[in-house]
């Protein structure tokens, strides 16, 4: 197992990195050893910050540093799950690593081979696997499932008099609530299976995995007292239009485990819905209003993001055929009027108007605002 280790210092006025990169072997009951080489390269943060909701990113030697395990961490049930897995870990991290004090960098500690080892099954050949050893069964009622699907790492940097250094790590654990797998039969045909998992069991295992990952990171020189945030993300189904949610978060400031796990009362609702609620009624009225304006809409759907039963944000997709520019301007204006009249006022709202040719228009409103901004694409 290999984990990257980097220390940061500075050289120029803008900043520079002194990168100590190497391989640290982690074995049970063995102390890690490090081999390092030294190169000085320029490092700077992005000059512009789009809003106070975004971290400024670090640019190393003129290049954005992609995650060391990027190729491994891109495989989830859907692109929606992947988006929420990344973006919502950022939201969790903001509570520990304030945006005005930290800079963002994709994970540089856990490399691809290590991440692959960890999310694989435990075996004689792979003692570091976190998923349980298989039992060679294919029947969903007998098979030992895969619980942990992916690991996501994010780094949070602080600026010092000598440059930038690692100030915190966030780890996201993408867990399966349904394990999808394929098996070839005797005729070499592929059969696809779904194995439902118990949510409580998934969460308990995720906590165990999180503590084990913290313990392994603590064994790396330089990470003994770095704050580590761990989030537990439960994926939605493959065919769900709504992504998964983070169910728990925890923090380790020192030592080899998360000190306390906190439950996050988050859930998502796909609109329209048969459930009766004030928000469902608001969405239905909005949908009816714009469909009367353009009866040939292909679909109007929304995803509501809730915390503690309060709607925080609403993302709406409107699919339509291509219309002329004047019609699109009129339609966008009407949607703005309908959204202002019918949709919840105390929520962040994003509305995408799309056709087979791509994005036609985009509208957005911040949670604290009552006014929509919009853009119509040429």
């Amino acid at each position: 197992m290999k984990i990257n280790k980097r220390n940061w210092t500075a050289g120029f006025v803008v900043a520079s990195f002194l990168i100590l990169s190497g391989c640290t072997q982690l074995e049970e009951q063995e102390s890690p050893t490090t081999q390092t080489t030294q190169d000085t390269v320029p490092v700077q943060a992005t000059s512009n910050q789009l809003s106070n909701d975004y971290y400024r990113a670090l640019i190393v030697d003129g290049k954005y540093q992609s995650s060391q395990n990027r190729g491994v961490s891109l495989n989830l049930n859907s692109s929606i799950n992947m988006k929420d897995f990344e973006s919502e870990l950022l939201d969790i991290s903001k509570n520990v690593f304030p945006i005005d004090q930290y800079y963002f960098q994709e994970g540089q500690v856990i490399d691809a081979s290590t991440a692959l080892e960890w999310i694989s099954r435990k075996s004689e050949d792979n003692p570091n696997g976190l998923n349980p050893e298989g039992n060679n069964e294919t029947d969903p009622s007998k098979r030992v499932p895969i619980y942990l699907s992916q690991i996501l790492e994010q780094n949070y940097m602080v600026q010092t008099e000598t440059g930038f250094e690692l100030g915190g790590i966030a780890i996201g654990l993408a867990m399966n609530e349904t394990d999808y797998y394929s098996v070839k039969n005797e005729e070499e045909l592929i059969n696809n299976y779904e194995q439902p998992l118990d949510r409580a069991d998934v969460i308990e295992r995720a906590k165990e995995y999180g503590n084990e990952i913290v313990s392994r990171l603590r064994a790396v020189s330089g990470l003994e007292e770095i704050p580590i945030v761990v989030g537990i993300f439960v994926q939605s189904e493959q065919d769900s239009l709504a992504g998964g949610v983070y169910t728990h978060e925890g923090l380790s400031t020192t030592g080899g485990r998360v000190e306390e796990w906190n439950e996050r009362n988050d859930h998502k609702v796909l609109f329209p819905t048969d459930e009766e609620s004030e928000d469902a009624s608001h969405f239905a009225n909005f949908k009816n209003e714009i469909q009367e304006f353009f009866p040939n809409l292909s679909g109007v759907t929304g995803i509501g993001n809730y915390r503690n039963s309060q709607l925080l944000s609403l993302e709406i997709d409107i699919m339509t055929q291509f219309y002329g520019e004047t019609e699109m301007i009129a339609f966008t204006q009407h949607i703005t009027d309908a959204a202002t009249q019918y949709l919840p006022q105390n929520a962040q709202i994003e509305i995408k108007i799309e056709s087979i040719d791509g994005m036609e228009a985009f509208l957005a409103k911040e949670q604290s605002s009552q006014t929509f901004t919009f853009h119509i694409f040429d």
Side-chain angles (χ1 to χ4, degrees):
M1 183 193 317
K2 296 181 179 179
I3 291 184
N4 291 337
K5 174 182 176 291
R6 297 190 176 191
N7 292 333
W8 293 270
T9 62
F12 318 136
V13 174
V14 287
S16 66
F17 267 171
L18 177 62
I19 300 182
L20 306 181
S21 61
C23 302
T24 303
Q25 298 291 336
L26 292 184
E27 302 292 344
E28 293 185 5
Q29 299 179 348
E30 291 184 8
S31 300
T33 59
T34 305
Q35 297 177 343
T36 65
T37 59
Q38 298 186 3
D39 293 294
T40 300
V41 295
V43 174
Q44 64 188 81
T46 51
S47 301
N48 294 308
Q49 187 175 12
L50 297 181
S51 80
N52 293 331
D53 292 330
Y54 298 116
Y55 288 96
R56 291 173 63 187
L58 287 189
I59 308 298
V60 181
D61 199 18
K63 298 178 182 178
Y64 181 77
Q65 299 295 291
S66 298
S67 171
Q68 288 290 310
N69 66 345
R70 186 71 176 176
V72 176
S73 64
L74 286 176
N75 182 27
L76 292 181
N77 284 348
S78 65
S79 59
I80 298 174
N81 275 296
M82 188 69 246
K83 171 181 172 293
D84 292 345
F85 185 38
E86 291 193 21
S87 63
E88 293 177 18
L89 184 60
L90 280 168
D91 288 336
I92 290 175
S93 300
K94 291 174 186 177
N95 296 323
V96 182
F97 311 121
I99 290 178
D100 60 349
Q101 300 176 29
Y102 288 82
Y103 299 82
F104 176 81
Q105 188 175 48
E106 292 192 28
Q108 303 296 310
V109 177
I110 304 173
D111 63 20
S113 61
T114 298
L116 186 59
E117 283 184 6
W118 289 2
I119 64 176
S120 298
R121 290 190 183 276
K122 188 173 184 177
S123 65
E124 290 185 4
D125 295 332
N126 184 33
N128 297 309
L130 293 172
N131 277 299
E133 188 173 355
N135 60 357
N136 296 319
E137 292 284 351
T138 59
D139 187 335
S141 64
K142 300 177 182 179
R143 173 179 173 270
V144 176
I146 295 289
Y147 292 93
L148 174 62
S149 179
Q150 298 296 338
I151 297 172
L152 174 66
E153 177 200 350
Q154 295 174 348
N155 293 161
Y156 294 89
M157 316 298 293
V158 292
Q159 188 170 14
T160 68
E161 293 181 356
T162 56
F164 294 91
E165 64 183 28
L166 184 63
I169 297 174
I171 299 293
L173 305 178
M175 306 298 295
N176 294 323
E177 196 164 25
T178 299
D179 184 14
Y180 299 92
Y181 63 99
S182 303
V183 178
K184 280 187 179 181
N185 60 20
E186 295 179 354
E187 288 77 29
E188 294 296 309
L189 298 176
I190 296 177
N191 295 320
N192 297 315
Y193 296 91
E194 299 179 12
Q195 185 172 3
L197 308 179
D198 177 70
R199 168 72 71 99
D201 185 26
V202 169
I203 298 303
E204 287 307 308
R205 289 178 181 271
K207 291 178 180 179
E208 294 175 7
Y209 301 156
N211 286 330
E212 178 60 27
I213 290 173
V214 168
S215 176
R216 294 178 183 183
L217 292 177
R218 293 290 184 219
V220 179
S221 177
L223 302 185
E224 296 88 349
E225 296 184 356
I226 294 291
I228 302 175
V229 172
V230 182
I232 298 173
F233 180 85
V234 178
Q235 294 195 77
S236 62
E237 308 297 314
Q238 284 184 343
D239 57 355
S240 174
L241 295 177
V245 295
Y246 277 90
T247 63
H248 292 75
E249 60 184 80
L251 174 65
S252 172
T253 55
T254 186
R257 61 185 296 108
V258 170
E259 291 144 17
E260 182 180 4
W261 292 99
N262 298 313
E263 186 173 3
R264 294 167 56 88
N265 189 15
D266 292 3
H267 72 281
K268 296 185 178 181
V269 174
L270 179 63
F271 296 107
T273 175
D274 293 332
E275 298 179 9
E276 293 186 3
S277 69
E278 188 175 0
D279 294 334
S281 178
H282 289 159
F283 184 86
N285 291 334
F286 169 78
K287 180 181 178 182
N288 291 337
E289 177 69 21
I290 64 174
Q291 283 183 324
E292 288 182 5
F293 186 87
F294 264 12
N296 296 324
L297 295 178
S298 301
V300 181
T301 59
I303 300 173
N305 299 286
Y306 288 82
R307 177 165 301 159
N308 298 323
S309 300
Q310 179 183 355
L311 179 65
L312 297 182
S313 65
L314 179 59
E315 302 170 21
I316 297 176
D317 281 304
I318 301 173
M319 292 298 299
T320 179
Q321 300 176 15
F322 178 77
Y323 294 94
E325 184 176 359
T326 55
E327 288 177 301
M328 185 54 62
I329 292 173
F331 186 39
T332 302
Q333 290 175 161
H334 184 71
I335 288 176
T336 304
D337 292 340
T340 302
Q341 180 178 357
Y342 293 111
L343 295 180
Q345 296 183 355
N346 298 322
Q348 177 181 321
I349 297 176
E350 294 182 356
I351 303 175
K352 298 176 183 177
I353 305 173
E354 299 178 272
S355 71
I356 57 174
D357 295 318
M359 186 82 73
E360 301 291 345
F362 177 80
L363 300 87
K365 179 188 78 68
E366 294 296 329
Q367 190 173 20
S368 58
S369 174
Q370 304 304 316
T371 304
F372 281 87
T373 59
F374 66 89
H375 180 78
I376 299 175
F377 297 86
D378 294 332

